[in-house]
Amino acid sequence: MNKPLDYAIRYSRRKTAAIHITQQGVELRLPHGVSESWGHQFIQQKRDWIERKLKEQSRYTQHIPNLEWGSTILWHGQPVPLTYQPATQASLKLTPHGFVFSAKTEPNKEIRKKWLADFFKQEARNYLTSLTNEKVAALNLQDQLKAVRLRYTKSKWGHCSSVGNIQYNWLIMGAPFEVIDYLVCHEVSHLIHLNHSPAFWQQVAKICPDYKKHQAWLKQEGVRLAWF
């Protein structure tokens, strides 16, 4: 006998039923007026698909860094351990021995996450702004670039708006230098082509010939950057 599926039902003003697999579990979203009994039948019809997606998610989450002492996170593509040393002054430093958290008492996981986020944001602000300006200047696109910004998102590594604002997910600093370079080339190319047309990808290839390899790294290994 199959083990019962654990799922939640949520009603909304949507027009069709949909199943969402999230970190919190399985959620069935139904239009108002649809009975729960119909929803239960719908779930059973999609059971094979749900179980396949849950297995994929399980494999995915196994690679998310947990920020425990001694565990590692990626920094420029290299695994760097998290360590603690007692000290009177609180700080976080990147040393040859890893990310060293110094404080009177061991900072808990939420504090570790905040300190790491602050470190990544500061490094990203300096590095990504400089690299973006460099590539924009090489393409003579200074008039098209309005600003370089940072923002954490779950679904995007970068974004370029129609008015020339380029936005990066600061977690990208965990990726290898060449992957970061590809992301910058990708977003700068949107200043010329605000789409993903063949002409856009031709432009990306001009300034990043191996872009497909770096694109594949992000797709396959990006979960290892997702510690926040």
Side-chain angles (χ1 to χ4, degrees), residues 15-225:
K15 294 182 178 180
T16 59
I19 299 170
H20 290 258
I21 311 296
T22 71
Q23 295 291 336
Q24 288 70 44
V26 181
E27 182 179 85
L28 173 60
R29 300 179 185 177
L30 295 176
H32 292 297
V34 175
S35 68
E36 286 193 9
S37 61
W38 184 93
H40 297 320
Q41 293 176 3
F42 182 66
I43 283 284
Q44 293 306 316
Q45 292 171 5
K46 301 295 184 180
R47 186 184 183 101
D48 290 345
W49 177 86
I50 293 171
E51 291 181 343
R52 185 170 68 252
K53 290 298 181 180
L54 287 172
K55 288 179 181 178
E56 291 175 2
Q57 183 186 71
S58 178
R59 288 194 294 269
Y60 178 90
T61 55
Q62 287 175 4
H63 297 289
I64 297 176
N66 58 30
L67 302 188
E68 299 291 347
W69 298 126
S71 65
T72 62
I73 63 172
L74 291 184
W75 177 253
H76 295 326
Q78 298 299 315
V80 179
L82 308 182
T83 62
Y84 164 74
Q85 68 175 19
T88 56
Q89 187 172 0
S91 67
L92 170 63
K93 294 181 180 179
L94 178 59
T95 77
H97 305 291
F99 283 108
V100 178
F101 295 77
S102 300
K104 290 182 179 180
T105 58
E106 291 188 9
N108 62 35
K109 189 176 291 188
E110 284 305 309
I111 294 176
R112 297 198 289 273
K113 182 185 288 189
K114 180 183 183 304
W115 289 7
L116 280 170
D118 290 343
F119 181 91
F120 269 62
K121 290 174 187 176
Q122 183 60 48
E123 295 296 316
R125 186 171 292 107
N126 295 334
Y127 188 80
L128 294 173
T129 301
S130 176
L131 186 58
T132 301
N133 286 331
E134 176 186 313
K135 293 188 181 297
V136 164
L139 294 170
N140 197 27
L141 296 173
Q142 295 93 326
D143 291 342
Q144 277 69 44
L145 178 65
K146 183 177 180 181
V148 176
R149 297 171 178 169
L150 303 176
R151 184 185 177 190
Y152 166 72
T153 60
K154 290 185 177 181
S155 59
K156 288 185 178 182
W157 293 110
H159 175 73
C160 180
S161 73
S162 59
V163 297
N165 290 322
I166 290 182
Q167 176 181 290
Y168 298 109
N169 184 336
W170 45 266
L171 283 173
I172 195 63
M173 296 302 290
F177 282 112
E178 59 269 23
V179 174
I180 300 173
D181 188 84
Y182 152 68
L183 178 63
V184 174
C185 289
H186 184 117
E187 300 309 329
V188 167
S189 294
H190 277 311
L191 295 173
I192 303 174
H193 303 284
L194 197 62
N195 50 48
H196 288 105
S197 64
F200 166 79
W201 290 113
Q202 289 170 10
Q203 174 57 41
V204 174
K206 286 180 183 178
I207 55 178
C208 185
D210 293 333
Y211 80 87
K212 290 184 179 180
K213 179 175 71 173
H214 308 317
Q215 189 181 47
W217 190 97
L218 269 180
K219 184 176 181 179
Q220 296 166 9
E221 306 293 338
V223 62
R224 297 173 64 198
L225 308 179

